[in-house]
Amino acid sequence: AQSVAQPEDQVNVAEGNPLTVKCTYSVSGNPYLFWYVQYPNRGLQFLLKYITGDNLVKGSYGFEAEFNKSQTSFHLKKPSALVSDSALYFCAVRDPATNAGKSTFGDGTTLTVKP
Amino acid sequence: NAGVTQTPKFRILKIGQSMTLQCTQDMNHNYMYWYRQDPGMGLKLIYYSVGAGITDKGEVPNGYNVSRSTTEDFPLRLELAAPSQTSVYFCASSARDRGNTEAFFGQGTRLTVV
């Protein structure tokens, strides 16, 4: 079975500081990993994904994430946070060997960036 | 390009009533999904479809039904609404692949059952 954990319900950072939103996963094979962002009263929007290749992937709005197979992690990062980055962030995992097309989502992390 | 469109955006139902949440996408995606999102929780998969005429249960299918008669449409039916079905419902779609493409989400339907 596939699963994903976001260990922090809330992350608070000051504008201009680096941010990290954590995600760990469990799958039986090689994972496909995704980050989505949700703004209030909106649907989820895709940020970035890891499928294969370079462990550091870059996505929308200056976000990036690092795939670490040994630690089974896929943390979301940004070098300099903006107040407009404040939102709910979801990590998702998909095991292509057994669940093609079906993702499992974490419970979400609320990011608050203070001016 | 409209993407994934859900209607209605808001609805209040009385216990025992039924309703259909509509979802349509214009990206010619084969995969479509229905999720529910409860406060402080992630998304739970209700039903999904890998193509027209094919549907399957997700994690939390009880109390819901779906159909997929066309590639574009994937309606979700609640037959006997219960307070436990108060939630925000999201429809999503993704391209036919080996699972490596991202999902596109609608803006959600906020349902309250009283």
Side-chain angles (χ1 to χ4, degrees):
Chain A
Q2 61 190 31
S3 66
V4 63
Q6 293 180 240
E8 300 159 318
D9 291 337
Q10 186 121 19
V11 171
N12 298 312
V13 298
E15 189 173 32
N17 282 1
L19 70 87
T20 299
V21 183
K22 295 180 180 178
C23 172
T24 59
Y25 67 90
S26 175
V27 297
S28 57
N30 293 318
Y32 293 159
L33 293 156
F34 303 80
W35 275 103
Y36 292 87
V37 60
Q38 184 181 30
Y39 297 102
N41 301 312
R42 302 295 298 272
L44 279 69
Q45 298 176 34
F46 169 74
L47 274 180
L48 50 79
K49 64 184 177 184
Y50 172 81
I51 303 300
T52 187
D54 194 348
N55 288 343
L56 183 65
V57 294
K58 295 185 184 295
S60 307
Y61 313 120
F63 284 93
E64 58 188 29
E66 185 166 12
F67 171 64
N68 188 318
K69 188 171 184 177
S70 62
Q71 296 187 5
T72 61
S73 67
F74 189 56
H75 301 331
L76 181 70
K77 300 181 180 183
K78 187 172 183 181
S80 178
L82 300 172
V83 173
S84 58
D85 293 329
S86 298
L88 182 58
Y89 290 81
F90 289 98
C91 182
V93 67
R94 200 183 281 167
D95 183 348
T98 58
N99 285 296
K102 289 168 56 180
S103 295
T104 298
F105 286 80
D107 287 345
T109 299
T110 299
L111 172 67
T112 301
V113 181
K114 297 184 177 178
Chain B
N1 192 347
V4 179
T5 302
Q6 290 182 238
T7 56
K9 287 186 171 52
F10 305 94
R11 184 73 185 267
I12 298 175
L13 278 183
K14 294 184 178 179
I15 294 172
Q17 286 185 322
S18 62
M19 77 164 293
T20 299
L21 283 65
Q22 301 291 345
C23 175
T24 187
Q25 53 91 7
D26 61 0
M27 297 172 282
N28 201 32
H29 285 169
N30 282 86
Y31 287 85
M32 295 189 74
Y33 317 84
W34 274 106
Y35 294 92
R36 59 177 288 171
Q37 183 182 30
D38 299 312
M41 306 285 287
L43 277 71
K44 302 298 182 187
L45 183 64
I46 305 172
Y47 271 94
Y48 69 101
S49 169
V50 300
I54 306 169
T55 62
D56 207 347
K57 296 178 181 179
E59 303 172 71
V60 289
N62 292 343
Y64 307 94
N65 278 300
V66 293
S67 59
R68 184 93 183 271
S69 56
T70 66
T71 298
E72 294 78 19
D73 300 308
F74 190 43
L76 178 71
R77 179 82 176 164
L78 284 71
E79 290 294 351
L80 292 170
S84 60
Q85 293 178 306
T86 294
S87 188
V88 181
Y89 292 84
F90 288 101
C91 180
S93 71
S94 64
R96 180 173 186 160
D97 56 16
R98 288 189 168 189
N100 61 359
T101 61
E102 61 272 22
F104 293 78
F105 285 80
Q107 293 204 357
T109 295
R110 188 174 297 272
L111 175 67
T112 303
V113 182
V114 296

Short mmCIF file of all heavy atoms in Angstrom, two decimals, chain A residues 23-26 30-31 33 35 50 53-57 65-77:
data_model
loop_
_atom_site.label_atom_id
_atom_site.label_comp_id
_atom_site.label_asym_id
_atom_site.label_seq_id
_atom_site.Cartn_x
_atom_site.Cartn_y
_atom_site.Cartn_z
N CYS A 23 7.64 16.20 3.76
CA CYS A 23 6.81 15.11 3.26
C CYS A 23 7.63 13.84 3.26
O CYS A 23 8.77 13.83 2.78
CB CYS A 23 6.32 15.42 1.85
SG CYS A 23 5.46 14.04 1.04
N THR A 24 7.08 12.77 3.83
CA THR A 24 7.69 11.46 3.71
C THR A 24 6.67 10.50 3.13
O THR A 24 5.46 10.71 3.25
CB THR A 24 8.18 10.93 5.07
OG1 THR A 24 7.06 10.85 5.97
CG2 THR A 24 9.25 11.83 5.66
N TYR A 25 7.14 9.45 2.49
CA TYR A 25 6.24 8.57 1.77
C TYR A 25 6.61 7.11 2.01
O TYR A 25 7.71 6.80 2.48
CB TYR A 25 6.29 8.88 0.27
CG TYR A 25 7.63 8.53 -0.34
CD1 TYR A 25 7.88 7.27 -0.86
CD2 TYR A 25 8.67 9.48 -0.36
CE1 TYR A 25 9.12 6.94 -1.37
CE2 TYR A 25 9.90 9.16 -0.88
CZ TYR A 25 10.12 7.89 -1.39
OH TYR A 25 11.35 7.57 -1.89
N SER A 26 5.69 6.24 1.63
CA SER A 26 5.94 4.81 1.66
C SER A 26 5.25 4.16 0.46
O SER A 26 4.04 4.32 0.28
CB SER A 26 5.39 4.20 2.96
OG SER A 26 5.52 2.80 2.95
N ASN A 30 9.25 2.26 -6.95
CA ASN A 30 9.73 3.62 -7.15
C ASN A 30 8.53 4.57 -7.23
O ASN A 30 7.60 4.33 -7.99
CB ASN A 30 10.55 3.71 -8.44
CG ASN A 30 11.84 2.93 -8.33
OD1 ASN A 30 12.51 2.98 -7.31
ND2 ASN A 30 12.17 2.19 -9.37
N PRO A 31 8.56 5.63 -6.46
CA PRO A 31 7.37 6.50 -6.38
C PRO A 31 7.32 7.58 -7.43
O PRO A 31 8.35 8.03 -7.94
CB PRO A 31 7.54 7.14 -5.01
CG PRO A 31 9.03 7.30 -4.88
CD PRO A 31 9.62 6.09 -5.57
N LEU A 33 5.98 11.39 -7.17
CA LEU A 33 5.69 12.30 -6.06
C LEU A 33 5.26 13.67 -6.60
O LEU A 33 5.81 14.16 -7.58
CB LEU A 33 6.92 12.46 -5.17
CG LEU A 33 7.31 11.20 -4.41
CD1 LEU A 33 8.77 11.21 -4.05
CD2 LEU A 33 6.44 11.04 -3.16
N TRP A 35 3.61 17.76 -5.49
CA TRP A 35 3.19 18.80 -4.55
C TRP A 35 2.11 19.65 -5.21
O TRP A 35 2.22 20.03 -6.38
CB TRP A 35 4.36 19.71 -4.15
CG TRP A 35 5.19 19.18 -3.03
CD1 TRP A 35 6.41 18.59 -3.09
CD2 TRP A 35 4.86 19.21 -1.63
NE1 TRP A 35 6.86 18.25 -1.84
CE2 TRP A 35 5.92 18.62 -0.93
CE3 TRP A 35 3.76 19.70 -0.90
CZ2 TRP A 35 5.93 18.49 0.47
CZ3 TRP A 35 3.77 19.57 0.47
CH2 TRP A 35 4.84 18.98 1.15
N TYR A 50 8.11 14.75 -9.05
CA TYR A 50 9.29 13.93 -9.30
C TYR A 50 8.82 12.62 -9.92
O TYR A 50 7.98 11.91 -9.34
CB TYR A 50 10.05 13.64 -8.01
CG TYR A 50 11.15 12.63 -8.24
CD1 TYR A 50 12.37 13.03 -8.76
CD2 TYR A 50 10.95 11.28 -7.98
CE1 TYR A 50 13.37 12.10 -9.01
CE2 TYR A 50 11.94 10.34 -8.22
CZ TYR A 50 13.14 10.76 -8.75
OH TYR A 50 14.11 9.84 -9.01
N GLY A 53 15.01 10.71 -12.63
CA GLY A 53 16.08 11.62 -13.00
C GLY A 53 16.61 12.44 -11.84
O GLY A 53 16.74 11.94 -10.72
N ASP A 54 16.92 13.69 -12.11
CA ASP A 54 17.52 14.58 -11.13
C ASP A 54 16.69 14.65 -9.86
O ASP A 54 15.47 14.85 -9.90
CB ASP A 54 17.65 15.98 -11.74
CG ASP A 54 18.58 16.88 -10.93
OD1 ASP A 54 18.93 16.51 -9.79
OD2 ASP A 54 18.94 17.95 -11.45
N ASN A 55 17.36 14.49 -8.71
CA ASN A 55 16.63 14.47 -7.44
C ASN A 55 16.06 15.83 -7.06
O ASN A 55 15.15 15.91 -6.24
CB ASN A 55 17.55 13.97 -6.32
CG ASN A 55 17.83 12.48 -6.44
OD1 ASN A 55 17.13 11.76 -7.15
ND2 ASN A 55 18.87 12.03 -5.78
N LEU A 56 16.61 16.89 -7.59
CA LEU A 56 16.10 18.23 -7.31
C LEU A 56 15.21 18.66 -8.47
O LEU A 56 15.67 18.77 -9.60
CB LEU A 56 17.27 19.21 -7.14
CG LEU A 56 16.87 20.64 -6.76
CD1 LEU A 56 16.22 20.66 -5.37
CD2 LEU A 56 18.08 21.57 -6.79
N VAL A 57 13.96 18.89 -8.15
CA VAL A 57 13.02 19.31 -9.19
C VAL A 57 12.55 20.72 -8.90
O VAL A 57 12.36 21.10 -7.75
CB VAL A 57 11.81 18.35 -9.29
CG1 VAL A 57 12.25 16.99 -9.76
CG2 VAL A 57 11.09 18.24 -7.96
N ALA A 65 11.78 20.97 -4.90
CA ALA A 65 11.68 19.87 -3.94
C ALA A 65 12.80 18.90 -4.22
O ALA A 65 13.23 18.72 -5.36
CB ALA A 65 10.33 19.18 -4.05
N GLU A 66 13.26 18.26 -3.15
CA GLU A 66 14.36 17.31 -3.27
C GLU A 66 13.89 15.91 -2.93
O GLU A 66 13.38 15.66 -1.82
CB GLU A 66 15.52 17.70 -2.38
CG GLU A 66 16.74 16.80 -2.57
CD GLU A 66 17.99 17.37 -1.94
OE1 GLU A 66 17.88 18.34 -1.17
OE2 GLU A 66 19.08 16.84 -2.23
N PHE A 67 14.06 15.01 -3.87
CA PHE A 67 13.72 13.60 -3.66
C PHE A 67 14.91 12.92 -2.98
O PHE A 67 16.04 12.98 -3.48
CB PHE A 67 13.42 12.93 -4.99
CG PHE A 67 13.27 11.44 -4.92
CD1 PHE A 67 12.25 10.87 -4.19
CD2 PHE A 67 14.16 10.60 -5.58
CE1 PHE A 67 12.10 9.49 -4.11
CE2 PHE A 67 14.02 9.23 -5.52
CZ PHE A 67 13.00 8.67 -4.77
N ASN A 68 14.66 12.28 -1.85
CA ASN A 68 15.70 11.56 -1.13
C ASN A 68 15.21 10.13 -0.91
O ASN A 68 14.37 9.86 -0.04
CB ASN A 68 15.99 12.24 0.21
CG ASN A 68 17.20 11.63 0.91
OD1 ASN A 68 17.35 10.42 0.94
ND2 ASN A 68 18.06 12.47 1.46
N LYS A 69 15.74 9.22 -1.72
CA LYS A 69 15.23 7.85 -1.68
C LYS A 69 15.58 7.15 -0.36
O LYS A 69 14.77 6.39 0.18
CB LYS A 69 15.80 7.05 -2.86
CG LYS A 69 15.17 5.67 -3.01
CD LYS A 69 15.59 5.01 -4.30
CE LYS A 69 14.87 3.67 -4.47
NZ LYS A 69 15.21 3.02 -5.76
N SER A 70 16.77 7.39 0.15
CA SER A 70 17.19 6.70 1.37
C SER A 70 16.36 7.14 2.58
O SER A 70 16.11 6.35 3.48
CB SER A 70 18.67 6.95 1.64
OG SER A 70 18.91 8.33 1.86
N GLN A 71 15.93 8.40 2.58
CA GLN A 71 15.11 8.90 3.68
C GLN A 71 13.63 8.88 3.33
O GLN A 71 12.80 9.33 4.14
CB GLN A 71 15.55 10.32 4.06
CG GLN A 71 16.97 10.38 4.59
CD GLN A 71 17.34 11.76 5.12
OE1 GLN A 71 16.51 12.66 5.18
NE2 GLN A 71 18.60 11.91 5.49
N THR A 72 13.29 8.40 2.17
CA THR A 72 11.90 8.37 1.66
C THR A 72 11.21 9.71 1.90
O THR A 72 10.12 9.78 2.47
CB THR A 72 11.08 7.22 2.26
OG1 THR A 72 10.98 7.37 3.68
CG2 THR A 72 11.68 5.88 1.91
N SER A 73 11.88 10.78 1.46
CA SER A 73 11.34 12.11 1.68
C SER A 73 11.27 12.89 0.37
O SER A 73 12.00 12.60 -0.58
CB SER A 73 12.17 12.87 2.71
OG SER A 73 13.46 13.14 2.21
N PHE A 74 10.42 13.90 0.39
CA PHE A 74 10.25 14.78 -0.77
C PHE A 74 9.84 16.15 -0.22
O PHE A 74 8.72 16.59 -0.37
CB PHE A 74 9.20 14.20 -1.71
CG PHE A 74 9.09 14.90 -3.04
CD1 PHE A 74 10.19 15.04 -3.87
CD2 PHE A 74 7.86 15.39 -3.48
CE1 PHE A 74 10.09 15.66 -5.10
CE2 PHE A 74 7.75 16.02 -4.71
CZ PHE A 74 8.86 16.16 -5.52
N HIS A 75 10.77 16.83 0.40
CA HIS A 75 10.47 18.10 1.06
C HIS A 75 10.38 19.24 0.05
O HIS A 75 11.21 19.35 -0.85
CB HIS A 75 11.53 18.42 2.10
CG HIS A 75 11.67 17.40 3.17
ND1 HIS A 75 10.63 16.60 3.61
CD2 HIS A 75 12.76 17.03 3.91
CE1 HIS A 75 11.04 15.80 4.55
NE2 HIS A 75 12.34 16.02 4.76
N LEU A 76 9.42 20.10 0.27
CA LEU A 76 9.20 21.27 -0.58
C LEU A 76 9.99 22.44 0.00
O LEU A 76 9.95 22.67 1.22
CB LEU A 76 7.71 21.62 -0.62
CG LEU A 76 7.30 22.82 -1.48
CD1 LEU A 76 7.46 22.49 -2.96
CD2 LEU A 76 5.84 23.19 -1.18
N LYS A 77 10.67 23.20 -0.89
CA LYS A 77 11.50 24.29 -0.40
C LYS A 77 11.35 25.52 -1.28
O LYS A 77 10.97 25.42 -2.45
CB LYS A 77 12.97 23.86 -0.37
CG LYS A 77 13.25 22.67 0.53
CD LYS A 77 14.72 22.31 0.55
CE LYS A 77 14.93 21.12 1.46
NZ LYS A 77 16.37 20.76 1.59
#
